[in-house]
């Protein structure tokens, strides 16, 4: 089944489904595939366990009535169309009944805005200039302010970096590069729904672009120390810089799990990630927080969880 045949089969299935279940409301597609399909229905209609007589009667508002032969035939045809749509091509896998919710939050943003994490005075100068300054003068500078004093210009730079992250990086990563839907991106605060097949790349790219550990081709490298600027489409974008970090919570849930529970779990995993301690190894410090937590909320009610840092000594997330 080539792409055009598959697109036609998809549209035929959706048309049959909308007619049989009397679906009147419009359903949008994920941004990455908009324009490739004529119409769409809610994801539940692509799962065989939802295509039942009971659900059909519920959707039609006829719980106490029996289906007629025409409706029985249409329901069987819908099953056949779904089978053909899913399995006629060996590369075309059935959709997963699980999805992921990502919640990301920048670490220590209050400290950044107060200046507690601003560069040290000696780092403002060129190394050669600093070495040749009189010792008494250097001590007086460090005594006056061990870090660069905050100013309106620095606040504007931070605001600009957070704005470009939310408006450019986040939307591009979640909706243009991968199968996801961005719910909101407010500076350092992100909430998104993501297809499981794209979950890991989205996680890595969101974290890396926050601090600038990413190239113009969205290649992630958490091991190198970036400049803090990334060139995208002939534009130089400002990021929070290599010393900034962000923590993330992920909830992988069955599609019937109440959304309130899924959102709560994603936020809880984000909080758990922010509890990770600082690690020091061979003189190199891996700061507190700067991690991710993933919770698998199984349909059975069981849950598995893992919390880890993005970077460990001689080991980074993008390298497994």
């Amino acid at each position: 089944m080539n792409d055009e045949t598959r697109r036609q089969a998809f549209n035929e299935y959706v048309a049959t489904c909308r007619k049989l279940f009397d679906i009147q409301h419009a359903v949008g597609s994920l941004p990455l595939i908009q324009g490739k399909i004529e119409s769409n229905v809610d994801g539940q209609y692509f799962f065989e366990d939802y295509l039942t007589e009971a659900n059909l009667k519920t959707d039609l508002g006829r719980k106490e009535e029996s289906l007629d032969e025409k409706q029985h035939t249409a329901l069987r045809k819908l099953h056949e169309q779904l089978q053909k749509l899913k399995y006629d091509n060996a590369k075309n896998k059935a959709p997963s009944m699980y999805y992921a919710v990502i919640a990301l939050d920048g670490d220590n943003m209050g400290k950044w805005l107060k200046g507690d994490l601003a560069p040290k005075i000696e780092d403002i100068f060129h190394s050669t200039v600093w070495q040749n300054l009189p010792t008494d003068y250097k001590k007086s500078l460090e005594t006056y302010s061990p870090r660069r004093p905050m100013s309106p210009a620095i606040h504007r730079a931070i605001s600009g970096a957070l704005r470009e992250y939310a408006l450019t990086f986040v939307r591009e990563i979640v909706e243009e590069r991968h199968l996801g839907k961005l719910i909101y991106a407010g500076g350092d605060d992100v909430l998104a729904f993501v297809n499981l097949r794209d979950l890991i790349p989205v996680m890595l790219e969101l974290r890396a672009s926050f601090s600038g550990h990413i190239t113009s081709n969205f290649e992630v490298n958490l091991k190198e120390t970036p400049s803090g600027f990334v060139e995208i489409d002939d534009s130089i974008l400002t990021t929070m810089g290599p010393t900034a970090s962000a923590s993330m919570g992920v909830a992988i849930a069955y599609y019937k799990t109440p959304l309130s529970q899924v959102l709560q779990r994603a936020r809880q995993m984000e909080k758990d990630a922010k509890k990770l301690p600082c690690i020091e190894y061979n003189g190199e410090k891996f700061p507190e927080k700067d991690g991710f937590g993933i919770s698998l909320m199984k349909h059975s009610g069981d849950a598995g969880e893992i919390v880890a840092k993005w970077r460990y000594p001689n080991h980074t997330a993008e390298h497994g």
Side-chain angles (χ1 to χ4, degrees):
M1 184 185 292
N2 57 37
D3 289 344
E4 182 57 36
T5 303
R6 188 179 299 112
R7 185 181 299 110
Q8 183 178 355
F10 181 91
N11 290 330
E12 289 176 355
Y13 175 81
V14 169
T16 303
C17 193
R18 294 183 69 90
K19 182 178 180 180
L20 178 60
F21 282 84
D22 192 27
I23 302 172
Q24 301 296 327
H25 61 281
V27 178
S29 303
L30 292 178
L32 187 63
I33 58 175
Q34 281 180 357
K36 297 181 180 180
I37 56 178
E38 297 174 3
S39 181
N40 204 356
V41 290
D42 291 327
Q44 62 195 17
Y45 293 102
F46 292 95
F47 302 131
E48 291 181 62
D49 69 345
Y50 190 84
L51 303 181
T52 64
E53 293 183 19
N55 286 333
L56 177 56
K57 289 193 291 184
T58 298
D59 281 19
L60 296 177
R62 305 173 186 173
K63 290 185 179 182
E64 307 303 324
E65 303 177 21
S66 299
L67 299 179
D68 57 34
E69 185 58 34
K70 185 177 181 180
Q71 290 170 321
H72 279 292
T73 301
L75 191 59
R76 288 195 296 270
K77 180 183 178 181
L78 198 62
H79 275 277
E80 294 172 0
Q81 285 181 289
L82 183 58
Q83 290 292 324
K84 180 180 180 181
L85 181 64
K86 293 194 300 184
Y87 300 117
D88 267 11
N89 188 298
K91 296 182 181 180
N92 191 27
K93 299 179 181 179
S96 172
M97 292 186 177
Y98 287 81
Y99 68 97
V101 172
I102 290 178
L104 176 143
D105 186 59
D107 294 331
N108 303 313
M109 293 310 301
K111 292 182 178 180
W112 277 103
L113 293 173
K114 288 192 299 181
D116 293 349
L117 299 178
K120 294 180 180 180
I121 288 294
E122 64 181 83
D123 294 332
I124 299 175
F125 293 85
H126 188 281
S127 57
T128 302
V129 174
W130 180 257
Q131 290 174 3
N132 287 286
L133 287 175
T135 302
D136 291 343
Y137 181 67
K138 288 193 290 187
K139 287 183 177 180
S140 66
L141 288 177
E142 292 174 333
T143 301
Y144 170 71
S145 177
R147 294 185 179 273
R148 178 176 181 173
M150 290 300 291
S151 68
I154 296 177
H155 275 157
R156 284 197 300 271
I158 293 175
S159 297
L162 295 178
R163 181 180 63 252
E164 290 179 345
Y165 177 69
L167 297 181
T168 302
F169 284 109
V170 175
R171 187 171 297 281
E172 174 75 15
I173 291 167
V174 174
E175 296 191 344
E176 302 298 329
R177 290 177 48 78
H178 302 287
L179 277 174
K181 179 62 180 176
L182 180 63
I183 305 305
Y184 65 77
D188 67 315
D189 197 11
V190 176
L191 182 68
F193 290 71
V194 181
N195 185 294
L196 286 188
R197 299 173 194 173
D198 290 354
L199 176 58
I200 300 302
V202 170
M203 290 175 61
L204 289 171
E205 290 173 19
L206 285 178
R207 166 60 186 88
S209 58
F210 186 78
S211 56
H213 289 84
I214 200 165
T215 68
S216 58
N217 296 321
F218 287 85
E219 296 175 352
V220 174
N221 189 342
L222 293 174
K223 297 180 70 176
E224 301 295 330
T225 301
S227 65
F229 300 93
V230 181
E231 183 176 357
I232 302 289
D233 296 332
D234 298 325
S235 298
I236 304 297
L237 303 182
T238 304
T239 70
M240 284 295 295
T243 58
S245 65
S247 296
M248 179 184 294
V250 178
I252 300 174
Y254 188 71
Y255 80 102
K256 289 184 178 180
T257 305
L259 181 58
S260 60
Q261 295 181 17
V262 182
L263 295 174
Q264 183 179 17
R265 184 64 60 84
R267 287 301 188 195
Q268 183 58 54
M269 297 311 298
E270 176 197 295
K271 291 178 181 178
D272 290 348
K274 286 183 177 291
K275 297 176 182 177
L276 291 169
C278 173
I279 295 176
E280 188 168 356
Y281 181 78
N282 285 345
E284 184 178 5
K285 284 189 176 182
F286 296 80
E288 61 178 359
K289 305 179 181 180
D290 194 21
F292 61 91
I294 301 177
S295 176
L296 173 58
M297 304 172 69
K298 298 180 181 178
H299 182 40
S300 62
D302 296 333
E305 297 180 354
I306 181 174
V307 179
K309 297 183 77 66
W310 294 108
R311 294 177 287 186
Y312 287 95
N314 300 322
H315 198 76
T316 57
E318 78 269 21
H319 294 104

